[in-house]
Amino acid sequence: PSLPPSPPSLPPSPPALPLPPSLPPLAPCPLGDVCTTGPCLITDGGSCATSPDFPNLYPTDEGCTIYGLPPVGLDVIAFEVEGDEYPYSDYDGDGDPTNDCRYDHLTVNGVKYCGTLGPAGVVPSDGTMTWVSDGSETFPGWKVCWAAQPPSLPPS
């Protein structure tokens, strides 16, 4: 018997929205794993992430997205990044002068964290954190962990 005709090829998918040049589209991340783009590091057997070169000074003009995070409160082990030198000025105009983080920042759930105040206890609702550093000062950076997930397969 002859084979059924092959289905017509699918039309090309629409172009994705443009992203900043430092953040390419996210590659698929194995289920249960946490992955990262760019120079950030996944450490402690996949249960923590750090800024590039942590605990040494992070580089300038870098960025990364950590993704595949479980929906658990984040545990901030260390957090020392460039802060807002003028905390009384409301640069982004949202009425809160303490959340601008114009320079280097770690973003979770759309909120930027900088200075020494990290996202402690925050649950990353979309499973991602994004780090951006600008072209000026650098600091020791950050280490953020999440509750260790049980392995999907029992050890042999």
Side-chain angles (χ1 to χ4, degrees):
S2 62
L3 294 171
S6 59
S9 60
L10 294 170
S13 42
L17 292 174
L19 292 170
S22 60
L23 299 176
L26 300 179
C29 186
L31 191 64
D33 284 5
V34 176
C35 299
T36 182
T37 64
C40 293
L41 303 169
I42 305 291
T43 66
D44 296 74
S47 61
C48 298
T50 71
S51 50
D53 299 334
F54 178 87
N56 302 306
L57 300 181
Y58 52 75
T60 58
D61 292 317
E62 284 284 14
C64 66
T65 297
I66 292 118
Y67 57 106
L69 291 165
V72 296
L74 297 172
D75 190 12
V76 175
I77 310 301
F79 202 85
E80 186 183 348
V81 308
E82 186 176 5
D84 193 342
E85 72 218 67
Y86 303 113
Y88 43 81
S89 294
D90 181 20
Y91 294 106
D92 60 8
D94 68 351
D96 181 355
T98 65
N99 68 349
D100 295 336
C101 294
R102 297 199 301 166
Y103 308 111
D104 305 339
H105 49 265
L106 184 67
T107 304
V108 186
N109 295 348
V111 178
K112 295 177 181 179
Y113 297 88
C114 61
T116 55
L117 187 65
V122 175
V123 177
S125 58
D126 62 355
T128 69
M129 294 191 295
T130 303
W131 165 248
V132 177
S133 63
D134 71 359
S136 64
E137 300 176 63
T138 65
F139 287 78
W142 50 268
K143 178 174 182 175
V144 174
C145 299
W146 43 92
Q149 296 302 292
S152 50
L153 294 171
S156 52

